[in-house]
Amino acid sequence: LVERKAIKEVENELREATKRFPAFASPHEGYAIIKEELDELWQEVKRNQANQDRQIMRKEAMQVAAMAIRFMEDLCGEETKHGER
C-alpha cells in the first residue's frame, strides 16, 4: 500500500538522521530543524505547478515527518522530563 511505502521512507530517513546527527539539544533546535525542512517543502510547493517536482516534494515532506518524529523521541519521550534526558 502507498501509506506503508511512505511510512517506510520516513523510518529510513529517521534512522539515517539518527546515525548522522546527535539528538536535538532543545525544543528550539528541534523546531528550527523542522522549520528548515518545512521551508524547503514550501519552496517547491510555491513553484509554478508545471515546474513542481513531485519527487522533491515527497522527499521534503518525508524529511518534515522524520524530524517531527525525532522531535517527539528526543524531547518529548517519557524519559525526558522538564528538559532532562
Side-chain angles (χ1 to χ4, degrees), residues 44-76:
E44 191 60 35
V45 168
K46 290 189 302 185
R47 288 184 193 270
N48 180 303
Q49 202 167 16
N51 295 327
Q52 286 177 334
D53 186 324
R54 294 198 178 274
Q55 288 182 329
I56 291 173
M57 286 192 291
R58 184 178 182 92
K59 177 184 173 200
E60 297 301 341
M62 172 195 56
Q63 290 174 339
V64 171
M67 292 305 98
I69 293 168
R70 181 93 192 256
F71 186 101
M72 293 168 62
E73 290 180 345
D74 289 354
L75 302 169
C76 305

Side-chain angles (χ1 to χ4, degrees), residues 17-18 20-26 29-30 33 70 73-75 85:
T18 301
R20 291 180 26 213
F21 303 104
F24 293 151
S26 71
E29 178 187 23
I33 291 171
R70 181 93 192 256
E73 290 180 345
D74 289 354
L75 302 169
R85 292 192 191 189

Side-chain angles (χ1 to χ4, degrees), residues 31-48:
Y31 171 82
I33 291 171
I34 293 169
K35 185 173 183 322
E36 178 184 345
E37 297 300 345
L38 190 58
D39 287 346
E40 291 172 2
L41 174 59
W42 179 232
Q43 289 302 312
E44 191 60 35
V45 168
K46 290 189 302 185
R47 288 184 193 270
N48 180 303

